[in-house]
Amino acid sequence: MEALRQDDPRRFGRFTALARFDEQASAVRYVARDTASGETALVTAARPELAAVPVFSRRFRAEARTAERLAGGWVSPPLETGKAAGTPGDGPEPLWTAAGYVPALPLDEAVGIAGPLPERVVRVLGAGIAETLSRVHATGAALQGLAPGTVLLAADGPRLTAFGPLGAAASAEAGPEDRLSVRLGYLTPEQIAGEEVSAASDLFVLGLLLAYAATGATPFTEGPAEGASRRIAEDEPELDGVPQELRELIASCLAKDPAERPSAGTVAAELALEGAAGLARGGWLPEPLAAAVADQEARVRALEVPAAGGAETPGAYGVPGADRVPGADGVPGTDGTPGAAGARDAEEAPDAETAGPGGIGEDRGTTRFLNTGPRPPRNDTPTTQLALPQGAAAPPPPVLAPTAQQTPAALGAPTELSAPAASGGAPQPGHPYAAPAAPYAAPGSVPPHSGPTPYPAAALPTGAGGAGAGGGGPMVSLPLPPAPAPAPDPGASRRTLLTIAAAAVGGLVVGGGAMAALGSGETAAATDDKPAPKPRRTLPGQAPEPRWTYTYPASEAPPLTAAVWQDELLVLTGESQAAAIDLRTGKRRWQRADAAKGQAALAAGTDLVFVASPTEFLWLAPKDGKVVHRVRYTEAFDDLAVGPLAGSSGPVIWFTASHTVTVKAPKPKKGKKKGKDKQVPEAFFLAYDIVRRKELWRTPVPAGRAPGTPSYRVAAERSADILVRQRSASLTPAEVRAAKRKGSVRSFDQKTGKLLWTKQYGAATPEAATAGDEDGTLYAAVGTDLEAFEADTAKPLWRVEGTEGSVYGTPLIAGPLVHTTESSQSVGAVERESGRLVWRRSTEVPAPGNAPSITLSSSEKTLIAADAVQVTAFAADSGERLWKFQDIGAAEPKGATVSAPYRVLTVGKTAIVQRERSFYAFPVA
């Protein structure tokens, strides 16, 4: 951080600027505060000369909207977006966006402080990034936005701060005829080959970041910068310094062929099965980084709102006694001459021949990649003073001997932009690290437009020149007024040499503000179609402490079914027995072998537990599990083989059953042989009262696929009838052909069981998820959309578009809303009457896959999505992400990995989460 400059904006909407946080290629970030509420924000303000370009303005705003849609998880929700008020001078007002301030360090700064990061830190970092990437990739888009300067390390996990191609810029320049030239910080093998970016491109850059975090160096270091493109496209990465446990995964991310790279979801699961938030729980940063984050937070907290009109003296910004004398420590004098330190640097510069391309004696045999190398230790004197209490101004840091790399001649840069080099020194007492100061600009000159942007580093396609074309780096030109050449980076270390690797890749020139010049022309789409949730001070994601946990015995096979009985028992059925768990304590109450392999338990009145076993119906005492009644199928249903339950309502259950009958061959004609008798399946749909233990009705239905019992599911119960779907797996081939690949719904009279009608709904297939409500509306997945129909007429009512390439799962109807689930790992809510989308959120689980199963809490305030990876809780009315949960997946360190899906049951204010043998009782609203 550093004090505000004279020409810096002082206000951004309701926020007052306190200090500069850092300076990027296309924007400057400020620490600002709402004086009314005391809320601190990090404001990203586009450079005014760049903001004047229409194409830049549109892209900046589009990326801000992407940030809004991705808000939550590892993306801080934006607080406000607009134009700055109170900008000095007559220049254009910069575009800006404000997000909640979270104390954090950029990845490159963190590596500069602590060196290569421990394996656990790399895992949390990579898992957090991958979780966010998976949300973006689920929409078919690429983020194009990862760089060491745009990935931050906070106390509770990583943060992404960039959401489109502008963030990839190592420098941004305004050119003639309203053109904007953007120099990128990296390329991927497919871009070097002239191909378009894709989700796999994000994974390549993620591999670079993880290798850099783990080793402090790029995996493509050997050789001059001119050959960087060739090395990325042809050479194998050097990963010897990467921990063995991470090497294979990172190597797969860096595969030359995009098709061979893993998905973001796979990376997230490999790095942290319990999720980044779970792995980071209890603290994840090494002590030096934790201290640096805490120090930054203390310094920001100490900042005071600057006095009106004061800009030249840091003391005017709430630092008593911190006034600085012009000419000291490289601070320009009022006459515009460089300070003493800068003059000494210019006079004592050694011979330029010893200077390397990095600017401070860099080894020419090493390629600096992604523009990240840490600078020599230097105190940010203005910021340090801002954080000191009354009368405790820090002494001036010692002046370091200048090097040849600090001279303009050594860098070939314009003299006026690089004359005075920033002075440096050791960290001051009380500050465990020294933040690098922003590049110095002589008075009256335009600030340099170089360094990583506050947006993600993004990869753009090569231009007509193709790989190897000149230009010093990948360029994208868009309309703007001219700007000076980028100022050189004043320093980098030999150990972490990560800067522009794609220095020889040609450019792409676009005029007239055409957005198609930037990659696909679209920002990374999010999975949410609602505004960002309200800002929150704590990271969403951590599940509440469970009220109790229970582990099914390892000596038994995992339970087959789980059901709640009367808000009192959790009844589990397994291969050899059934067991009941007390919902208040999580302790086993009883077990009973009679009910082995039973279907879900139901309440038979108020005092009995009903279980349908493979051969009989059982009624058990809830106290001890003893069998009170039993009805054998062979006795009650004429030797029918009872199939799975189709549904239940109160004391009534519905199920299918079948048996085989012999159909005698017809009498042959004279002189002909008699044919063989045939064994033909005969199927029925039945209703049964489990309180009176009495069959209500039995209706013949078409037999299903062998052995003959069709599998039904009740889609809706109405006052006069029930609507039933047949599961596609039990349909016979003849039925599928006759239906022309369309699914059908049957209506049965509630009282008599008579078949009333059979209808098809649009193009809904036999596999399409379907549900209905009591008002006569049927909701069905049709292609990638969800459609509503009048159940009795099949008339379409409304349609909600789904995510491309995704399909809807079974919806859940509650009050005025229909809660939805998609295989893109998104859940949401639409209005029952109109189909208006109320909200849509990603579960942040890798896609594709089956649509998550969804469950509502008893109060209908919490929607819980469960799949094979995790459980995610949302506020049912707004879609706010509340928490997510993942268990460890193995009981012992060397135990087998659990891959069974999660299941959720709700009772009262508790959600019972099951994964194979493990059960957790979480409190829910």
Side-chain angles (χ1 to χ4, degrees):
M1 290 186 296
E2 66 169 318
L4 296 172
R5 299 177 184 176
Q6 184 172 4
D7 58 347
D8 281 331
R10 293 301 185 267
R11 290 193 63 81
F12 299 88
R14 60 188 173 96
F15 296 101
T16 300
L18 304 179
R20 280 184 166 224
F21 186 81
D22 61 12
E23 189 171 2
Q24 310 289 349
S26 60
V28 177
R29 289 195 286 193
Y30 299 89
V31 176
R33 185 173 295 141
D34 182 348
T35 54
S37 66
E39 186 174 33
T40 304
L42 188 65
V43 175
T44 300
R47 296 183 181 278
E49 62 271 33
L50 302 183
V53 181
V55 66
F56 181 97
S57 175
R58 289 195 295 272
R59 172 63 64 173
F60 185 95
R61 294 187 184 281
E63 292 179 11
R65 289 194 297 272
T66 299
E68 292 178 356
R69 293 170 183 145
L70 286 174
W74 306 115
V75 177
S76 297
L79 305 178
E80 192 172 342
T81 300
K83 287 189 175 182
T87 305
D90 300 326
E93 296 179 345
L95 300 165
W96 61 273
T97 182
Y101 167 75
V102 177
L105 302 173
L107 175 59
D108 51 358
E109 186 176 335
V111 172
I113 294 170
L117 303 179
E119 179 186 337
R120 178 167 175 258
V121 177
V122 177
R123 285 183 176 275
V124 173
L125 174 68
I129 296 172
E131 286 170 4
T132 303
L133 288 179
S134 69
R135 296 168 54 197
V136 177
H137 295 171
T139 69
L143 181 65
Q144 302 185 65
L146 298 177
T150 63
V151 175
L152 308 184
L153 279 63
D156 53 3
R159 293 293 191 283
L160 295 186
T161 62
F163 309 97
L166 289 182
S171 66
E173 304 171 14
E177 299 181 353
D178 254 7
R179 293 181 181 273
L180 173 67
S181 297
V182 176
R183 190 181 302 278
L184 304 181
Y186 67 85
L187 286 181
T188 62
E190 58 267 32
Q191 290 174 279
I192 293 171
E195 299 172 4
E196 293 185 357
V197 297
S198 65
S201 303
D202 286 337
L203 270 298
F204 186 87
V205 184
L206 177 58
L208 292 175
L209 291 181
L210 296 183
Y212 169 55
T215 66
T218 170
F220 299 98
T221 57
E222 293 302 323
E226 298 81 60
S229 299
R230 180 197 58 77
R231 291 196 298 278
I232 292 173
E234 300 175 6
D235 293 357
E236 290 302 314
E238 297 177 7
L239 301 175
D240 292 344
V242 175
Q244 184 65 40
E245 294 78 5
L246 300 175
R247 197 172 301 164
E248 182 178 354
L249 179 64
I250 293 177
S252 66
C253 291
L254 296 174
K256 306 300 182 189
D257 185 354
E260 295 179 4
R261 296 171 201 157
S263 68
T266 298
V267 173
E270 288 283 340
L271 291 174
L273 186 62
E274 67 271 51
L279 187 57
R281 189 175 297 139
W284 69 295
L285 295 177
E287 182 56 35
L289 299 185
V293 171
D295 176 68
Q296 181 192 107
E297 183 178 20
R299 292 196 289 160
V300 168
R301 192 164 48 242
L303 293 174
E304 297 181 11
V305 176
E312 294 79 21
T313 15
Y317 298 101
V319 186
D323 293 349
R324 302 181 63 199
V325 180
D329 301 316
V331 177
T334 55
D335 59 353
T337 60
R344 284 195 300 273
D345 288 347
E347 293 170 0
E348 301 174 16
D351 184 21
E353 289 180 0
T354 63
I360 59 163
E362 177 178 333
D363 184 353
R364 285 182 178 271
T366 302
T367 302
R368 296 172 64 235
F369 193 73
L370 294 175
N371 200 27
T372 60
R375 283 80 171 167
R378 293 177 299 171
N379 244 0
D380 182 354
T381 304
T383 304
T384 302
Q385 292 176 346
L386 285 172
L388 293 175
Q390 174 76 27
V399 178
L400 297 181
T403 64
Q405 285 77 9
Q406 294 169 312
T407 66
L411 293 163
T415 303
E416 63 272 21
L417 284 179
S418 56
S423 60
Q428 298 302 318
H431 297 279
Y433 74 108
Y440 171 79
S445 67
V446 179
H449 302 182
S450 63
T453 68
Y455 307 95
L460 303 181
T462 58
M475 300 292 293
V476 174
S477 295
L478 305 165
L480 257 195
D489 186 345
S493 77
R494 292 177 54 134
R495 182 175 54 77
T496 27
L497 301 172
L498 296 184
T499 217
I500 303 177
V505 180
L508 173 66
V509 177
V510 179
M515 293 300 290
L518 293 172
S520 65
E522 298 295 336
T523 55
T527 55
D528 310 310
D529 291 332
K530 67 177 287 293
K534 294 180 181 179
R536 42 194 320 154
R537 290 295 182 188
T538 57
L539 175 71
Q542 295 189 359
E545 287 296 318
R547 292 189 169 119
W548 52 258
T549 61
Y550 172 78
T551 303
Y552 199 73
S555 59
E556 296 285 334
L560 302 173
T561 67
V564 170
W565 181 84
Q566 293 285 63
D567 297 356
E568 181 180 336
L569 297 178
L570 174 65
V571 181
L572 310 176
T573 63
E575 290 287 346
S576 60
Q577 64 182 10
I581 313 304
D582 193 312
L583 286 175
R584 294 169 300 173
T585 64
K587 304 295 184 183
R588 177 180 289 202
R589 183 180 292 185
W590 51 258
Q591 60 189 47
R592 178 65 57 179
D594 304 68
K597 301 181 181 180
Q599 298 187 49
L602 299 170
T606 58
D607 55 356
L608 291 176
V609 179
F610 171 84
V611 177
S613 80
T615 59
E616 59 187 347
F617 288 157
L618 297 172
W619 286 259
L620 311 178
K623 182 179 180 180
D624 53 17
K626 288 184 178 179
V627 177
V628 178
H629 306 287
R630 69 172 77 231
V631 172
R632 291 183 172 86
Y633 303 151
T634 54
E635 299 173 357
F637 306 118
D638 305 323
D639 292 327
L640 289 177
V642 173
L645 298 185
S648 66
S649 177
V652 178
I653 61 172
W654 297 284
F655 58 94
T656 53
S658 69
H659 62 183
T660 301
V661 296
T662 302
V663 177
K664 291 190 176 292
K667 186 177 179 180
K669 293 181 180 180
K670 187 175 181 181
K672 298 290 183 181
K673 246 183 180 182
K674 182 180 179 181
K676 293 183 179 180
D677 295 343
K678 292 183 179 180
Q679 301 293 311
V680 178
E682 195 174 62
F684 302 89
F685 187 43
L686 298 90
Y688 188 88
D689 190 316
I690 61 175
V691 172
R692 294 188 290 165
R693 301 193 297 281
K694 177 183 178 182
E695 180 180 323
L696 301 179
W697 47 257
R698 182 186 307 190
T699 297
V701 293
R705 188 184 296 266
T709 305
S711 179
Y712 284 1
R713 182 181 66 82
V714 174
E717 180 194 6
R718 304 190 292 182
S719 58
D721 65 347
I722 55 173
L723 305 184
V724 175
R725 283 291 302 274
Q726 183 171 348
R727 292 181 172 90
S728 59
S730 69
L731 289 168
T732 65
E735 288 177 315
V736 174
R737 287 193 299 270
K740 297 181 180 179
R741 290 295 304 160
K742 291 185 178 181
S744 59
V745 173
R746 295 182 175 99
S747 169
F748 293 92
D749 187 278
Q750 279 264 37
K751 294 183 178 179
T752 66
K754 178 183 177 182
L755 177 63
L756 302 178
W757 48 255
T758 300
K759 295 186 182 297
Q760 294 179 329
Y761 296 86
T765 65
E767 299 84 11
T770 308
D773 60 28
E774 68 281 359
D775 296 330
T777 304
L778 197 76
Y779 311 92
V782 180
T784 61
D785 303 333
L786 180 69
E787 294 192 30
F789 302 87
E790 283 186 358
D792 294 319
T793 65
K795 175 185 176 182
L797 300 176
W798 49 255
R799 178 173 61 90
V800 176
E801 291 186 359
T803 307
E804 184 178 356
S806 179
V807 294
Y808 278 92
T810 304
L812 190 63
I813 297 96
L817 299 178
V818 177
H819 294 284
T820 63
T821 174
E822 298 179 65
S823 61
S824 62
Q825 308 308 306
S826 296
V827 297
V830 299
E831 291 181 350
R832 284 172 66 177
E833 290 294 326
S834 64
R836 183 185 71 86
L837 182 65
V838 178
W839 60 266
R840 177 184 287 154
R841 287 285 188 196
S842 169
T843 63
E844 300 181 341
V845 166
N850 293 328
S853 61
I854 52 178
T855 309
L856 277 170
S857 63
S858 299
S859 66
E860 298 186 353
K861 293 181 179 179
T862 304
L863 181 72
I864 305 172
D867 49 56
V869 177
Q870 69 184 33
V871 174
T872 313
F874 300 86
D877 58 348
S878 66
E880 179 184 14
R881 239 178 248 105
L882 303 177
W883 50 263
K884 69 177 181 181
F885 171 76
Q886 295 174 320
D887 69 1
I888 195 62
E892 300 294 336
K894 296 184 179 180
T897 299
V898 175
S899 58
Y902 290 89
R903 293 189 286 191
V904 178
L905 298 167
T906 56
V907 51
K909 294 184 177 181
T910 301
I912 309 297
V913 173
Q914 177 201 359
R915 194 182 198 197
E916 203 170 62
R917 300 177 187 278
S918 301
F919 295 82
Y920 307 83
F922 290 106
V924 292

